[in-house]
Amino acid sequence: MVELLGGPAVIPQLVQNELDLLAVAVQGLSVRAVRALQQHLRFTNKEMSTVLGVSESTLARREQARRALTLDESEKAIHLSAVLAKGLEVFEGEDEFHHWLSTPNVALGGIRPKELLSSVIGRDQVRDILGRILYGHYS
């Protein structure tokens, strides 16, 4: 997940477990980490801002001022990177995962998975579906 957030150049602390991720979130992720994640997901600035629950202008101001995200925003970005990591594991490539994220999904009631990523419950649902696909239990 650290690689998906820009790697050690962006997150210099050693991350070996979830408590280490919590420490990263408490310290606050940089906007550079968000931009790396955004690039992997191929999200627009508006989509990324929506997922993080922050306005585009606020995110841009923080990026220019090199200010960190809040704990809540950092946790959302970290959780989103976990969804991305699971998606890459399942689909073995960003193109395939991006297509899946953008396609209405029967198991999600016809909703495109990317539309659910702005809430914890939605992200959990997407990860659950990805897990079912990975283990051949897709419904």
Side-chain angles (χ1 to χ4, degrees):
M1 288 177 13
V2 170
E3 289 301 321
L4 298 173
L5 292 164
V10 177
I11 301 175
Q13 326 58 324
L14 182 62
V15 175
Q16 296 179 315
N17 55 47
E18 288 192 1
L19 286 177
D20 294 338
L21 284 173
L22 176 59
V24 169
V26 167
Q27 182 178 348
L29 280 176
S30 71
V31 178
R32 284 179 54 204
V34 169
R35 296 302 185 206
L37 184 59
Q38 179 179 351
Q39 185 176 8
H40 285 291
L41 290 165
R42 299 180 191 163
F43 278 10
T44 64
N45 288 342
K46 181 177 177 115
E47 288 171 324
M48 199 68 201
S49 295
T50 298
V51 168
L52 295 178
V54 63
S55 72
E56 289 179 70
S57 58
T58 297
L59 198 55
R61 277 193 306 275
R62 287 195 192 149
E63 185 172 26
Q64 234 174 2
R66 295 188 175 156
R67 285 196 2 233
L69 275 66
T70 66
L71 171 61
D72 182 56
E73 295 159 355
S74 295
E75 284 183 325
K76 287 176 183 176
I78 289 168
H79 202 207
L80 186 58
S81 73
V83 172
L84 174 58
K86 179 62 85 175
L88 294 177
E89 177 185 3
V90 170
F91 291 102
E92 300 177 359
E94 287 185 16
D95 289 339
E96 295 82 4
F97 180 56
H98 179 69
H99 176 73
W100 181 82
L101 275 178
S102 301
T103 303
N105 189 295
V106 175
L108 296 171
I111 298 170
R112 295 180 309 151
K114 74 188 300 182
E115 294 173 19
L116 298 174
L117 297 177
S118 59
S119 76
V120 173
I121 294 170
R123 287 187 297 271
D124 286 344
Q125 287 295 304
V126 171
R127 281 183 68 187
D128 181 58
I129 297 288
L130 288 167
R132 287 193 269 160
I133 293 170
L134 183 63
Y135 295 106
H137 300 290
Y138 184 71
S139 54

